[in-house]
Amino acid sequence: VNTMNKIETLEKEGVYYAFPMMVPQGKFNIEVAGSVISPNKDQIPGSCRDWYSVQSWLNISNQEFGITWSSREVPVVSLCDINTGKLLDDLKILNTSFFAYLMNNYWNNNFKESQGGKLTFRFSITSGEEQKKTAKAARFGWNYRTPLISRILKPKTYNISTLSTYSFLQIDDEAVILLTLKQAENK
């Protein structure tokens, strides 16, 4: 959890957090809206390579291990360098660093001219051999960005008072993520 007290200014500025990761021969995979992409490889000509919109997670991995990053407030990253306005046709993946793009006031319309005040940004990072798998990266990212909201069950209502532990749901496939669970409306 990172909290900053930022002074407002009308001068053009961009604010980033740097994540200087070191994954030898690492490859980026990013969950975007409705898909997982590898920069350049999964992009059509002319699509943006200056910034990437991250839905729940970004992963950098090689044959040995991976690093997975997730944020609740920062959905945009720049890969390898701060690429503001370069309009890249091809992103040269020369390193595995990335920059979380917190805010800017580059634009002359449609955005507030300055940002300031007490601001909080949360990130979660994990690493290890398992994180080279897309399913593990996805589970980590979704669990962090959209944590489970629990509900306490009253013991007499569900007749679970005699059990020391109780679970009414288990997911055995690591590629399956539970997004919503709700009580039936026709009870």
Side-chain angles (χ1 to χ4, degrees), residues 4-7 9 11-18 51 74 76-78 82 84 99-106 114-116 119 121 123:
M4 70 168 75
N5 289 305
K6 185 179 172 309
I7 297 171
T9 180
E11 297 296 318
K12 297 296 183 192
E13 68 175 353
V15 181
Y16 297 82
Y17 278 141
W51 304 280
V74 183
V76 178
V77 298
S78 187
I82 296 174
T84 304
F99 300 82
Y101 194 14
L102 307 184
M103 67 185 81
N104 76 69
N105 65 351
Y106 297 148
S114 64
Q115 293 101 19
L119 306 166
F121 302 97
F123 307 99

Side-chain angles (χ1 to χ4, degrees), residues 21 45 55 83 93 96 102 122 139 145 153 163 173 181:
M21 303 300 177
Q55 179 149 352
N83 297 314
I93 307 289
T96 51
L102 307 184
R122 293 170 288 190
R139 183 172 299 280
R145 193 178 68 83
L153 303 176
L163 301 174
D173 187 336
L181 177 69

Side-chain angles (χ1 to χ4, degrees), residues 24-67:
Q25 287 86 44
K27 298 198 182 323
F28 285 97
N29 282 306
I30 304 168
E31 182 194 34
V32 297
S35 184
V36 175
I37 68 160
S38 295
N40 291 327
K41 177 183 169 193
D42 298 321
Q43 293 184 259
I44 60 173
S47 62
C48 183
R49 287 164 172 79
D50 289 6
W51 304 280
Y52 290 87
S53 178
V54 178
Q55 179 149 352
S56 297
W57 56 271
L58 173 147
N59 178 269
I60 311 161
S61 59
N62 60 22
Q63 295 294 323
E64 297 175 30
F65 71 97
I67 297 172

Side-chain angles (χ1 to χ4, degrees), residues 2 5 22 67 79 88 96 99 104 108 113 130 157 167:
N2 298 274
N5 289 305
M22 178 63 163
I67 297 172
L79 304 181
L88 302 169
T96 51
F99 300 82
N104 76 69
N108 295 322
E113 291 179 291
E130 288 292 303
T157 306
S167 177

Side-chain angles (χ1 to χ4, degrees), residues 47-165:
S47 62
C48 183
R49 287 164 172 79
D50 289 6
W51 304 280
Y52 290 87
S53 178
V54 178
Q55 179 149 352
S56 297
W57 56 271
L58 173 147
N59 178 269
I60 311 161
S61 59
N62 60 22
Q63 295 294 323
E64 297 175 30
F65 71 97
I67 297 172
T68 303
W69 173 91
S70 184
S71 176
R72 293 184 182 155
E73 294 82 18
V74 183
V76 178
V77 298
S78 187
L79 304 181
C80 304
D81 197 356
I82 296 174
N83 297 314
T84 304
K86 293 181 181 176
L87 304 174
L88 302 169
D89 290 325
D90 182 54
L91 177 66
K92 303 289 187 227
I93 307 289
L94 302 175
N95 62 64
T96 51
S97 296
F98 64 95
F99 300 82
Y101 194 14
L102 307 184
M103 67 185 81
N104 76 69
N105 65 351
Y106 297 148
W107 319 113
N108 295 322
N109 61 356
N110 297 335
F111 291 91
K112 189 172 187 252
E113 291 179 291
S114 64
Q115 293 101 19
K118 185 175 181 179
L119 306 166
T120 301
F121 302 97
R122 293 170 288 190
F123 307 99
S124 189
I125 300 171
T126 191
S127 63
E129 184 179 354
E130 288 292 303
Q131 288 306 308
K132 64 185 180 182
K133 298 178 182 177
T134 301
K136 291 290 187 181
R139 183 172 299 280
F140 175 81
W142 275 87
N143 282 342
Y144 180 70
R145 193 178 68 83
T146 54
L148 180 66
I149 299 171
S150 62
R151 179 176 171 198
I152 296 175
L153 303 176
K154 296 177 183 174
K156 292 185 180 187
T157 306
Y158 295 94
N159 196 23
I160 61 172
S161 59
T162 60
L163 301 174
S164 60
T165 62

